Amino acid sequence: NAGVTQTPKFQVLKTGQSMTLQCAQDMNHEYMSWYRQDPGMGLRLIHYSVGAGITDQGEVPNGYNVSRSTTEDFPLRLLSAAPSQTSVYFCASSYSTGPGNTIYFGEGSWLTVV
Amino acid sequence: GIQVEQSPPDLILQEGANSTLRCNFSDSVNNLQWFHQNPWGQLINLFYIPSGTKQNGRLSATTVATERYSLLYISSSQTTDSGVYFCAVGAHKLIFGTGTRLQVFP
């Protein structure tokens, strides 16, 4: 049981390049989400999904795209990287939103845009 | 939207000391969670505590939903407790506070 797996762990991009951060979970969780964490701040929600084929925007969605074709995978696409997207990105998953729900986070992806 | 504030922003302790971290939120919530982010960046869920009190070893948490705050207690702190503690409201769409950075020295 690997939990939530993110790749790559580190990436340097040039302004204007595109890339995809991968996220996979093996716990059969319905809910998956992407957050970004900037220095000295808490995490902010980018996009989330409540099941395969269903996605929605979070607090800071601009410049990012997502899709959810399977329960297991939830990739995050940067369409045209900007220095303001330099951040640490976390993928998370959970089984439900009910009482006692536990949210599992991946180990993070450190992205630098130069 | 809901605002989540944490205090203190920084806390420095010697091993064995106790501490209380506070989380205030601006509106009524049905879900509140506490997380620990270790020095390597890994986020671990500590408590799901929309109301009441829970304990897990040296850690305990209390949420008073009617007064819009939650407290995280750490007793007999250890160096492995170092890191950043976040509270977050919401279910799968979390709104995080800015965290309390805890440093525990031997």
Side-chain angles (χ1 to χ4, degrees):
Chain A
N1 189 341
V4 179
T5 303
Q6 290 182 231
T7 56
K9 195 169 181 65
F10 300 98
Q11 182 73 47
V12 179
L13 283 180
K14 293 183 178 179
T15 298
Q17 286 185 316
S18 63
M19 76 158 297
T20 299
L21 298 176
Q22 303 290 347
C23 176
Q25 52 89 10
D26 60 359
M27 297 172 282
N28 200 31
H29 286 172
E30 289 295 321
Y31 297 93
M32 296 186 73
S33 49
W34 277 101
Y35 295 84
R36 61 177 286 173
Q37 184 178 26
D38 299 310
M41 297 182 65
L43 281 69
R44 292 183 293 168
L45 181 64
I46 304 172
H47 284 286
Y48 68 98
S49 169
V50 298
I54 306 170
T55 64
D56 206 347
Q57 297 181 351
E59 181 184 355
V60 288
N62 292 341
Y64 306 95
N65 201 2
V66 292
S67 60
R68 184 97 179 270
S69 57
T70 67
T71 299
E72 296 77 18
D73 300 300
F74 191 44
L76 177 72
R77 298 180 186 84
L78 279 70
L79 308 174
S80 178
S84 60
Q85 294 180 302
T86 294
S87 190
V88 184
Y89 291 84
F90 288 94
C91 179
S93 74
S94 59
Y95 179 70
S96 74
T97 61
N101 174 56
T102 297
I103 293 182
Y104 296 86
F105 283 88
E107 295 186 342
S109 295
W110 274 252
L111 176 65
T112 300
V113 183
V114 297
Chain B
I2 296 176
Q3 303 298 315
V4 183
E5 297 179 349
Q6 293 185 243
S7 60
D10 295 280
L11 195 55
I12 300 174
L13 299 175
Q14 194 156 21
E15 220 169 15
N18 302 326
S19 60
T20 301
L21 284 59
R22 186 177 180 102
C23 172
N24 293 329
F25 39 94
S26 62
D27 204 348
S28 59
V29 297
N30 294 323
N31 298 287
L32 186 139
Q33 305 190 50
W34 283 96
F35 295 88
H36 175 221
Q37 187 171 37
N38 66 23
W40 296 270
Q42 188 178 11
L43 279 156
I44 302 297
N45 187 301
L46 295 176
F47 292 103
Y48 174 92
I49 184 162
S51 63
T53 297
K54 289 186 179 179
Q55 182 157 4
N56 184 2
R58 297 181 295 103
L59 273 61
S60 64
T62 295
T63 297
V64 183
T66 54
E67 298 186 22
R68 302 178 185 171
Y69 73 88
S70 183
L71 302 174
L72 179 70
Y73 305 96
I74 305 174
S75 64
S76 303
S77 59
Q78 301 176 357
T79 55
T80 53
D81 295 330
S82 296
V84 183
Y85 289 82
F86 291 103
C87 65
V89 299
H92 56 280
K93 295 170 59 180
L94 297 175
I95 300 172
F96 281 78
T98 53
T100 293
R101 182 175 299 276
L102 174 65
Q103 297 179 72
V104 181
F105 291 96

